[in-house]
Structures are given as structure tokens and as C-alpha cells.
Amino acid sequence: MAGWRRNLYIICAAELVAILGFSTTFPFLPLFIQELGVTELKQVEIWSGLLATGSAVAMAVVSPIWGSLADRFGRKLMVERAMFGGALTIGAMGLVTNVHQLFALRILQGSLTGTVAASTTLVASIVPRDKLGYSLGLIQMAILGGSSLGPLLGGLVADSVGYRPAFWVTGVMLLMAGLAILAFVKEKFEPPPRGEGSAARWFFNDLGLIARSKAMWTVVLAMFLLQVGRKSDGPILPLFVQSLSPLGKHAASTTGVILSVNAFIGALAALAIGRISDRIGRKKALIYCILGGAALYAPQALVSNATQLLALRAAMGALLGGVAPTANAIIAIIAPEGKQGSTYGLTASATALGNAIGPILGATIAATLGIRSVFLSIAAILALVGIWVAGVVRVSE
């Protein structure tokens, strides 16, 4: 087996375990907040929003810094930082005594983790260029696979032994993933010359180099807008499912099934579309995925039952699952030489900001125009991004 393939499979396995761990604890954070003494529903909602937004903002701020350090000291080191940092901070969450301590650890977690960006950077730097779509599709499959199975595992652990042990289980999983990267992944990294001044100067030079690339900032901005759109329905989806269910019954379990099916199909599609993009071109594949996703978001505003919604979300997952691997492959191609870490760090920052802004936007649209308007708004955002990418992005494949 070629060395890059061995590294790729180990990184994907480790990322699967890591995302499985992250997804194990986050779904029940509102319930854990109540266990910490916050009992008023409005306060629970406020703290839940702060915990999600705080971590995303922290990640948005530090991701470009970690990316620049990856280019200077090695990409494997940054994956280890993210894995071990997550093991430490999430494991410590099982020991907190109040919600303020939990919030502080969430901020610290957002600052130290970022396994997706770190692993994507490492993969993009070690695989052959003509295998980028396949390789990044495989890691996206691991990410979505972990996301689809994590909530189920978390629910079983929390119901069986309580919320606190679930954090420790996640910590152990991240520790194991980090040790696997440390022991088995080989990186041939040649540090750049040290004549570029301080770390701060290096960082700002990196940002300036990326900012001067029109293709680069166009793709980063597109990733931000896509994330804003795709995260806008997060707060309202359970409520929408509840409105479709007779007497509002089984809304939680139905929502869980819809999300899991969407993630599972997206995971399978990521690998398939990534491989196809190596043949037909990454830009073409990305445009098809974005516009197809837009076309499948709009009809969700018209469904009359949960079965119709499930069918549309499943089909949508098959297309949107291909967005990340094709976009990341394009980023790897157009990134300045030796600056993959900085580039993916900036992309991770844009994605984290999208994670923070999307839910707020969706909740605002739902409150002013109605829940069904959210799906039409997302379709419009995706359609505009797809048209923009088609007209503006230039990539030599």
C-alpha cells in the first residue's frame, strides 16, 4: 500500500472517532445545563445559544493562527493539538459544577480544537493532486459518519450512566484518535526558512498573500455563505417537524431520524462525488452540488408531512455531501505554495462564523416571516452562491 494511502486511511479513522466523540456530548448540552442548576426554560435557551455561539466564535478567531502555525511547524502537529486539546477540555466538562465553568471550557475548546480543518490540511498536503477529490471525499465521509452516529451513542451513554461520564467517554475517544495520529501517521514536512521574521509577521504575511488571491477569497466567502445557509434551519427544524406531526407527537425522534438519514447519505455521497470530481472537474461538481441542494431546499417549504420532508432531506444530503470535498479540493489547488495550513485555517474561520450566524438568521426569519420561509431563504442563498461560483471562481484542474 502506498504511503499516502496508509496515512489517509489512518487519518480518516481517527477523524471518524473524533467526530463521533464530539457528536456524543453536544446534543444533550441543554439537558446538562439543567442538571447544573439552571431550571428556567428561557435561561436554558440563552445558555444553550451562548455555549454554541461562544465556541464557534473562538474557533473563528484562532483558526487562521493555527493554520499559519501548521505551515511553519507541520500539519501533523496541528492535528495532534486539536485531538489532545479536545480530549482535555471536553473531559474536564464532566467535572464542572456550574454553567459558567462549562461556558469557559467551551470557549477554550473552540480555541484549541478544529480537528476537521487540521485533518483536511494534513490530507491535502500528503495525497497526490489527482486524488484530491477522492481523498477529501473519504475524510468528509468520516466526518459525516461520525456526526450521524454520535447523537445515538451519546443518548445511550447519557441514559445509561449519566451526562458527566459521556464527556469522559468523548475525552477518551479523542485521546485515542490523537495517539493513533501520533504513532502511525508519517509526515515528510520540511520547515520553511526562518528568515521571515517573528511568528506574528509570518501570520500577517500569510493573510496578505491569501487576500491578494481573488480566487481564494471568493471560495472562502462562498464557504461562509454556504454555511450560513445550511445552518439556518437548525433551530427551527424540530419545531417544523412538530408542526407536521399529528398532535405534535414523536417530534424529537422524527427529527433525529431525518438528521441521521441526511448525514448518512451525505457521508456516502461525499466519497462518490469526490471521486467523480477527480474526473469531471472539481468546480463543475461543486456547482452541480450547490445548485442541486438549492433546488431541493425550496420544496421543503411546501411539504405536508414528515415523510415528504425525509425524502427531500435525504436527496438533498446526497448532493450537499459533495460540497465539502469538492470545495476543499479547489482550495488545495489554488492555495499559495506551502500555505495550505493558512488557507484551510481561514476557511475554518469562515465556516465557524457561518455556524454562529446561520442559526441566528434562521430564527430571525422564522420569527418574522414564518418557519416555511426559512427553507426558501436557504434555497435563495445557495442558488446565489452557486451562480457566483460559476461566474467568478477560476481554477486550473
Side-chain angles (χ1 to χ4, degrees), residues 9-94:
Y9 296 152
I10 294 170
I11 295 168
C12 288
E15 188 64 9
L16 172 65
V17 172
I19 298 300
L20 183 63
F22 282 121
S23 303
T24 295
T25 54
F26 296 159
F28 62 75
L29 278 180
L31 303 177
F32 186 53
I33 291 171
Q34 293 175 314
E35 187 174 286
L36 292 174
V38 181
T39 55
E40 186 181 347
L41 181 58
K42 183 173 291 186
Q43 289 297 314
V44 172
E45 292 171 345
I46 291 173
W47 276 111
S48 297
L50 287 173
L51 290 173
T53 302
S55 177
V57 170
M59 186 174 291
V61 171
V62 304
S63 288
I65 300 173
W66 288 128
S68 183
L69 291 175
D71 292 333
R72 196 171 193 184
F73 299 106
R75 287 73 186 232
K76 176 183 172 181
L77 180 63
M78 291 298 105
V79 179
E80 294 166 1
R81 175 265 309 164
M83 299 287 191
F84 294 138
L88 178 64
T89 53
I90 296 178
M93 289 178 192

Side-chain angles (χ1 to χ4, degrees), residues 224-240 297 300 313 316 320 351 353-367 370-382:
F224 165 71
L225 293 173
L226 285 171
Q227 201 67 10
V228 169
R230 295 178 65 182
K231 291 296 181 180
S232 294
D233 63 352
I236 61 95
L237 187 62
L239 300 176
F240 185 55
Y297 249 118
Q300 293 175 46
R313 301 286 293 197
M316 185 185 73
L320 292 183
T351 300
L353 281 176
N355 289 338
I357 294 173
I360 297 173
L361 176 63
T364 302
I365 293 173
I371 288 181
R372 292 179 182 269
S373 299
V374 176
F375 299 105
L376 296 175
S377 300
I378 297 172
I381 292 172
L382 265 60

Side-chain angles (χ1 to χ4, degrees), residues 125-185:
S125 67
I126 62 177
V127 304
R129 178 166 169 164
D130 63 342
K131 301 295 183 182
L132 274 172
Y134 162 74
S135 301
L136 294 172
L138 190 63
I139 196 166
Q140 185 66 15
M141 184 175 73
I143 292 166
L144 292 174
S147 298
S148 65
L149 297 175
L152 175 61
L153 176 61
L156 293 174
V157 173
D159 288 342
S160 301
V161 294
Y163 300 128
R164 294 181 185 274
F167 290 104
W168 301 331
V169 168
T170 293
V172 171
M173 294 173 72
L174 286 165
L175 177 63
M176 292 171 57
L179 291 173
I181 296 293
L182 177 65
F184 301 116
V185 173

